[in-house]
Amino acid sequence: MGTRNSTATLTVVLIMLRVVLVHPQCSANLQGDDFLLNGIDTRIYAKPGDINIGAIMQLTHPLDGFTCSEQVLTGSTAIEYTESIAFVVEQINNRNDLLPNVTLGFAILNDCALPSISLAQSLSFLPLTENRCHAKAVKNSSCYECCSAGSSHHVDVVGVLAPLMSVSVGPVSFLYTVAKIPIIAPTASSDEFSNKNKHPYFFRVIGPDKFQVEAMLNFISDNGWTYISVVYIEGTYGERAFDNIKYLAPAFNICLATWHRVKYNENTDLVAADLIGYWKARVIIAFMDEVPFTNLLTSVDKLNGTGNFSWIASDAVSLASSDFMSPFKRMLVGSFFISFRVPVVDEFYSYLERLNVLNSTNPWLKPAWESLNNCSYDSGTCNNSLNFLNTSKFDYLIFATLSMDVVLAFANAAHKLISDLCPNVTGKDVQQCVKSDVLYKYLKGESFQGYSGDIRFDENGDSIGKYVIYQWSYEKVQNIDRKLFDESEKGLTKQEVAYYDTVSKNITYSDNVISWDYFTVFERLIPIDGDSSTVYRPESVCSRPCVVGEYKIQKNPECCWDCRTCRNNERIINKNTACEECRLFTWPDPATNYTTCSPIPLTYQETTSVLSVLQISFAILALAAILLVSACYIHLRENRVIKAASRELSLLQIVAIFVGYFTVICFQTYPTQHMCSVLFFTYCLSFATLYSPLLVKTVRIYRIFHNATKSKTKPRFVSSQSQVIISTSLILIQSYIKASNNTNSKLNWKDSKSYLPVTYNARSIRPG
């Protein structure tokens, strides 16, 4: 449960130690004003018994950091806090199976949620020496109201119900460890109290905050949120919880955008501005009390941020009354908070309906009743017969049920102690048997059936239970005067939407559907199907998931990155964080999401295809035409024109054309390595044989005409034999060069075949 820091804690500890050292015993004439500790509420609600249980509760508002005010807490808080103890004590005293021959008593003091006041009030429950009890001549009594210790009372108790706030419990636990008085907390959930080296006499009927953090992170992960912010209160409650959040978040693939520690009454405008700056982190964990939480909501609202965030508040907010939270309902609606799964005890609220305010010895009941019903007994405006449970300010607080479990824990442990050590003792004689240090041993490992279910203290004094996740929503408010539901008014209510089991670590959802209607709709990074029931659920992610073919450029924190696309001939490596070019004759494989390269598969034109038939037909016609031209050329080889055109070189060109069309026909056959080699050679040979004679003829003609302008002698190497030799040499050189290149290509192709096996049968081109 939440904390409230006070700079006076150390000072008060020193004052109290000085008081104890200077006045180790109280004399017969010691009065309540011997020690002056200002700001303490001197009222007490007590019903003494044979053995007593002390309780330190928050019943009024603090006036400042060191003083309690007279104003009771709003709503029904003060009534339920105090009367839950009176109710369960009455129930125990009426039972025959639990402490049958012993009456249980109680004494309740107010600390107004200030650690300094909690420590001061705790002195009232410290054990007195025998001489101090004799001062009142009440030997073998409970020393009830024997003498003063900072308040106006002293009660000899066997155990104490710890204060509400964890920061208040800490110094009280240290003090009671020295006094060997066990304390049981109904709501103090800070993880530090699980350390038995520091807090050996501490127990609690709830689990530590680490389970609450687990519940939050499970709920966040279950909704697909991976990018969150955290705001926590200064002190052990918030700081230990934040340590757990940082430690456990990576296991849920959750990272933190920003985080802030705030004080109880700190101005949170700068914090709100920073949260809005991280607009992608739409989920915010608020591990704090109701006052700093509502302050933060107000700051966010001033920056027009209401509706932008899905708040997940801690259990401290669950104790706030609806009356306190109602002014912030527009900012609260839609948010979630975690609480202990504690049932309402119907018998207790029936007991409350029977209370007579005027006859009660509870000093806070009358002012709480007046505050709850907005009336005054002094002015005669209060109706004592009014059923205050039906008023709009009344809340059913889980603290009441947990307080009853604390009293049951003490009663069950005392019952076992008496049964084992002094079964025949009755009445006040039991005080000589039930000692607080012995009772502590019976509390260790105790298990019993409480009002909230099975309770068992583990080796750390913790009780493992379940949590419930609530969502704030609107409800219609009944107009009491007209007995109608006013459609124009909306009140704030909470609905159970999910449950978390600390043993199984599972989230289960209730029949109440989570409403996403209260949140501002932003453009999504991850599109959702329009038919999905969660289409309006806020998105809280830093980056969209990279699709197939993209790689991540990692940023800080871990859930933030940029997505980039590799080139078409590159594969993705290093867990989708880089690209690498595929080897020659290989291509990124889509079957492995482009993380491997596979050989480019063999493709060829089948002879039965239309294009292949057309090419073969055209080539055959061309070959026939070439044969006809060749016959004519040979027949007319003595013709002057043919002789002038260099018959031998022309015949070489005709052969080249013939080889070229023959190659076209061969290209339509199934490719093998040998066939490809032959086709490559003939293809290159046809071009070389066609253009080499053409080059030689051109050079010959140029030389003849150029030489004729200078001399009448015939140039050298212009004869037919010379031209054929030169052309043949050029053809052989070209063929050798092409053959060498083809050999190197085949070697590379062979190497690429052993790189990766063929996994598909058609060439695949990456999209984009």
Side-chain angles (χ1 to χ4, degrees):
M1 190 53 59
T3 70
R4 297 179 182 173
N5 287 323
S6 173
T7 57
T9 300
L10 181 58
T11 303
V12 173
V13 170
L14 295 176
I15 293 173
M16 297 307 171
L17 288 176
R18 179 178 180 274
V19 168
V20 173
L21 291 175
V22 174
H23 301 280
Q25 297 180 348
C26 64
S27 62
N29 61 353
L30 192 60
Q31 301 299 320
D33 56 355
D34 286 339
F35 304 113
L36 181 60
L37 294 177
N38 293 322
I40 294 179
D41 187 349
T42 58
R43 291 173 289 183
I44 183 172
Y45 180 29
K47 291 184 179 180
D50 297 329
I51 55 174
N52 300 301
I53 296 172
I56 302 174
M57 296 182 169
Q58 177 190 1
L59 303 173
T60 64
H61 290 286
L63 190 61
D64 51 40
F66 308 95
T67 309
C68 291
S69 72
E70 293 292 326
Q71 182 187 0
V72 296
L73 298 178
T74 56
S76 60
T77 303
I79 298 176
E80 293 184 70
Y81 280 8
T82 55
E83 293 301 332
S84 61
I85 304 296
F87 166 76
V88 69
V89 168
E90 180 181 293
Q91 294 289 309
I92 292 172
N93 288 335
N94 291 333
R95 290 173 59 174
N96 294 323
D97 59 332
L98 187 60
L99 299 176
N101 299 317
V102 176
T103 59
L104 187 64
F106 67 88
I108 302 174
L109 300 176
N110 173 35
D111 70 351
C112 58
L114 293 176
S116 56
I117 303 299
S118 297
L119 186 58
Q121 294 284 37
S122 66
L123 296 178
S124 298
F125 300 132
L126 286 178
L128 301 180
T129 64
E130 187 175 353
N131 290 336
R132 293 183 69 181
C133 288
H134 286 169
K136 273 289 190 177
V138 285
K139 187 176 181 180
N140 297 329
S141 72
S142 65
C143 292
Y144 186 80
E145 293 189 340
C146 170
C147 54
S148 173
S151 65
S152 297
H153 315 280
H154 177 271
V155 182
D156 190 7
V157 298
V158 296
V160 175
L161 186 147
L164 182 69
M165 301 298 177
S166 293
V167 72
S168 299
V169 174
V172 173
S173 176
F174 289 138
L175 179 63
Y176 285 167
T177 296
V178 178
K180 297 184 178 180
I181 299 176
I183 63 171
I184 304 179
T187 57
S189 55
S190 178
D191 292 312
E192 69 167 324
F193 299 121
S194 296
N195 187 342
K196 293 296 100 178
N197 292 326
K198 293 183 177 181
H199 303 277
Y201 281 78
F202 177 86
F203 301 86
R204 52 185 159 194
V205 293
I206 58 171
D209 285 333
K210 64 181 179 181
F211 295 124
Q212 187 179 172
V213 169
E214 284 182 1
M216 288 179 170
L217 296 178
N218 265 284
F219 182 69
I220 290 170
S221 177
D222 209 46
N223 281 280
W225 297 321
T226 59
Y227 192 50
I228 67 172
S229 299
V230 181
V231 185
Y232 60 98
I233 193 168
E234 185 180 51
T236 57
Y237 175 69
E239 292 171 7
R240 294 296 181 92
F242 178 64
D243 290 340
N244 281 324
I245 292 172
K246 288 194 300 182
Y247 177 75
L248 294 175
F252 294 89
N253 295 321
I254 295 171
C255 57
L256 307 185
T258 184
W259 55 88
H260 294 275
R261 181 179 63 184
V262 298
K263 296 181 180 179
Y264 187 75
N265 284 313
E266 180 181 344
N267 186 303
T268 54
D269 289 349
L270 293 179
V271 175
D274 185 64
L275 294 175
I276 291 176
Y278 289 90
W279 62 272
K280 290 183 180 179
R282 299 193 64 186
V283 173
I284 302 176
I285 292 180
F287 227 97
M288 55 181 63
D289 300 331
E290 69 276 12
V291 172
F293 179 56
T294 52
N295 288 344
L296 181 59
L297 290 178
T298 304
S299 297
V300 171
D301 188 61
K302 286 192 295 186
L303 297 174
N304 298 320
T306 297
N308 291 359
F309 301 109
S310 177
W311 300 92
I312 301 180
S314 61
D315 59 337
V317 178
S318 67
L319 285 183
S321 64
S322 297
D323 185 57
F324 177 84
M325 304 298 277
S326 290
F328 310 96
K329 61 183 180 182
R330 183 178 58 84
M331 313 167 206
L332 270 174
V333 67
S335 61
F336 304 90
F337 69 90
I338 309 293
S339 181
F340 315 110
R341 192 174 183 183
V342 179
V344 172
V345 181
D346 294 332
E347 295 87 347
F348 169 59
Y349 292 97
S350 299
Y351 163 84
L352 290 183
E353 290 181 310
R354 300 191 301 268
L355 283 178
N356 189 324
V357 179
L358 298 178
N359 295 334
S360 176
T361 59
N362 184 348
W364 297 282
L365 181 58
K366 184 177 178 180
W369 180 283
E370 291 175 332
S371 174
L372 188 64
N373 294 281
N374 195 23
C375 66
S376 172
Y377 278 101
D378 294 337
S379 61
T381 58
C382 286
N383 181 2
N384 200 39
S385 63
L386 181 67
N387 188 348
F388 65 92
L389 269 65
N390 294 331
T391 61
S392 60
K393 295 182 180 180
F394 188 87
D395 286 313
Y396 292 84
L397 302 174
I398 64 170
F399 180 85
T401 304
L402 295 173
S403 297
M404 296 181 216
D405 286 338
V406 170
V407 178
L408 275 179
F410 280 123
N412 278 276
H415 181 83
K416 293 177 183 177
L417 185 156
I418 295 171
S419 300
D420 290 346
L421 303 182
C422 47
N424 299 319
V425 72
T426 60
K428 294 188 181 299
D429 293 337
V430 76
Q431 296 174 15
Q432 304 304 318
C433 177
V434 181
K435 300 296 184 181
S436 57
D437 55 340
V438 181
L439 183 65
Y440 153 76
K441 297 177 182 179
Y442 280 83
L443 284 170
K444 294 170 63 177
E446 180 187 2
S447 61
F448 62 96
Q449 181 66 31
Y451 286 98
S452 58
D454 292 330
I455 295 177
R456 181 184 181 278
F457 296 128
D458 62 13
E459 65 277 4
N460 296 321
D462 301 327
S463 179
I464 310 302
K466 296 182 179 180
Y467 291 87
V468 60
I469 301 172
Y470 293 95
Q471 184 182 34
W472 289 107
S473 59
Y474 283 136
E475 70 171 352
K476 298 175 183 177
V477 177
Q478 185 177 17
N479 188 305
I480 299 176
D481 295 334
R482 291 181 289 170
K483 306 298 183 183
L484 296 172
F485 285 100
D486 192 340
E487 295 287 347
S488 63
E489 293 290 336
K490 289 183 177 180
L492 193 64
T493 186
K494 55 188 179 184
Q495 290 187 339
E496 297 182 0
V497 295
Y499 309 100
Y500 177 72
D501 190 325
T502 57
V503 177
S504 65
K505 312 294 184 184
N506 291 330
I507 288 275
T508 56
Y509 291 87
S510 70
D511 295 333
N512 297 320
V513 179
I514 297 176
S515 175
W516 307 111
D517 298 337
Y518 307 110
F519 300 98
T520 305
V521 178
F522 290 166
E523 183 179 355
R524 301 186 66 90
L525 293 175
I526 307 175
I528 291 182
D529 184 3
D531 296 331
S532 174
S533 60
T534 60
V535 67
Y536 296 112
R537 179 173 59 192
E539 185 181 47
S540 191
V541 296
C542 185
S543 304
R544 66 173 178 84
C546 294
V547 299
V548 174
E550 293 181 335
Y551 68 95
K552 289 182 180 179
I553 300 178
Q554 188 63 53
K555 294 183 176 180
N556 189 28
E558 295 80 3
C559 59
C560 296
W561 58 79
D562 285 333
C563 296
R564 295 291 185 268
T565 304
C566 295
R567 294 185 179 90
N568 284 349
N569 66 329
E570 293 178 335
R571 69 186 183 104
I572 301 173
I573 61 172
N574 296 339
K575 298 181 180 180
N576 290 8
T577 59
C579 296
E580 180 183 69
E581 185 177 355
C582 289
R583 295 177 63 180
L584 189 64
F585 298 111
T586 64
W587 200 256
D589 188 353
T592 60
N593 293 333
Y594 305 106
T595 58
T596 61
C597 295
S598 297
I600 297 175
L602 181 66
T603 59
Y604 65 96
Q605 188 73 37
E606 295 185 2
T607 56
T608 56
S609 66
V610 175
L611 181 61
S612 182
V613 170
L614 290 176
Q615 289 176 339
I616 292 174
S617 301
F618 181 79
I620 291 175
L621 292 175
L623 289 174
I626 291 172
L627 291 176
L628 179 62
V629 170
S630 299
C632 295
Y633 202 87
I634 294 173
H635 178 70
L636 301 173
R637 62 183 178 278
E638 298 298 329
N639 186 281
R640 292 176 54 193
V641 175
I642 294 176
K643 291 174 67 176
S646 183
R647 291 174 301 182
E648 293 79 5
L649 296 182
S650 296
L651 284 173
L652 283 175
Q653 289 180 302
I654 291 174
V655 171
I657 295 172
F658 183 88
V659 172
Y661 281 110
F662 179 77
T663 302
V664 170
I665 296 174
C666 293
F667 259 118
Q668 312 309 314
T669 61
Y670 179 79
T672 62
Q673 185 173 345
H674 297 293
M675 177 60 72
C676 288
S677 299
V678 171
L679 290 175
F680 182 81
F681 178 76
T682 57
Y683 177 80
C684 296
L685 179 65
S686 65
F687 271 88
T689 307
L690 179 63
Y691 291 107
S692 293
L694 182 62
L695 175 64
V696 172
K697 284 197 293 183
T698 303
V699 172
R700 177 175 176 267
I701 293 173
Y702 171 78
R703 290 179 62 218
I704 290 174
F705 282 96
H706 182 73
N707 189 69
T709 60
K710 297 181 179 181
S711 173
K712 294 183 179 180
T713 60
K714 186 177 181 181
R716 300 175 61 187
F717 305 117
V718 293
S719 63
S720 298
Q721 294 82 358
S722 299
Q723 298 300 301
V724 171
I725 292 173
I726 294 172
S727 297
T728 303
S729 299
L730 290 175
I731 292 170
L732 292 176
I733 292 172
Q734 283 288 94
S735 299
Y736 175 77
I737 293 173
K738 291 297 181 181
S740 298
N741 291 338
N742 186 39
T743 302
N744 293 333
S745 297
K746 286 194 292 181
L747 290 174
N748 290 334
W749 181 74
K750 288 180 179 180
D751 292 341
S752 68
K753 284 174 61 179
S754 61
Y755 180 33
L756 280 175
V758 177
T759 57
Y760 48 93
N761 297 321
R763 183 170 184 176
S764 174
I765 305 298
R766 182 184 305 186

